[in-house]
């Protein structure tokens, strides 16, 4: 894989992870809400006005464009498994930003993902 192709794949992964984290941050501003018709519309309006959610959705849109560019340079059977690196980035960022737990089981899963990506990338 060329440096440009790798950079595109990695950029897509990082944009996707950042989008998840921004949306989580925006979603936390609403707290828990009940799923009744009145509350759903109120929550949707609330979410539509959150800058974190809007920026997260923008990151998703940009990541799609970057991903399309990546797929013109990398076989999908190699590129797609690399998306799982987003789980790694997101898990550590969620631990750092939101105080989410990084248990031994999660760390083992992260290690398996990393090893799997290395194996697929070398194929």
């Amino acid at each position: 894989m060329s440096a440009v192709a790798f950079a595109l794949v990695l950029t897509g992964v990082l944009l996707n992870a950042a989008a998840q984290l921004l949306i989580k941050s925006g979603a936390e501003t609403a707290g828990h809400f009940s799923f009744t018709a009145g509350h759903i519309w109120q929550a949707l309006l609330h979410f539509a006005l959150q800058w974190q959610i809007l920026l997260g959705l923008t990151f998703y849109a940009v990541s799609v464009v970057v991903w399309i560019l990546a797929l013109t340079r990398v076989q999908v059977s190699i590129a797609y498994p690399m998306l799982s690196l987003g789980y790694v980035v997101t898990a550590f960022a969620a631990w750092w930003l939101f105080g989410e737990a990084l248990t031994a089981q999660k760390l083992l899963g992260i290690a398996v993902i990393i090893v799997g990506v290395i194996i697929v990338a070398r194929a």
Side-chain angles (χ1 to χ4, degrees):
M1 180 181 321
S2 72
V4 170
F6 181 75
L8 286 168
V9 170
L10 186 60
T11 300
V13 167
L14 294 175
L15 282 167
N16 199 294
Q20 283 292 327
L21 295 163
L22 283 163
I23 290 172
K24 166 71 173 173
S25 176
E28 284 189 341
T29 65
H32 296 285
F33 62 92
S34 61
F35 287 98
T36 62
H39 287 113
I40 288 176
W41 289 114
Q42 182 181 12
L44 287 174
L45 179 60
H46 175 82
F47 293 141
L49 299 174
Q50 295 302 308
W51 69 267
Q52 302 98 319
I53 291 177
L54 296 174
L55 186 59
L57 293 173
T58 301
F59 278 21
Y60 271 136
V62 173
S63 77
V64 169
V65 173
V66 170
W67 192 248
I68 291 167
L69 294 172
L71 290 177
T72 66
R73 292 164 174 81
V74 181
Q75 295 175 9
V76 72
S77 62
I78 293 173
Y80 189 68
M82 294 184 107
L83 281 178
S84 62
L85 291 174
Y87 297 123
V88 176
V89 172
T90 304
F92 284 107
W95 166 75
W96 183 58
L97 295 169
F98 304 118
E100 293 185 9
L102 267 180
T103 62
Q105 187 174 359
K106 285 182 185 178
L107 291 171
L108 179 61
I110 287 168
V112 169
I113 289 169
I114 292 170
V115 170
V117 168
I118 291 169
I119 290 170
V120 169
R122 290 179 167 227

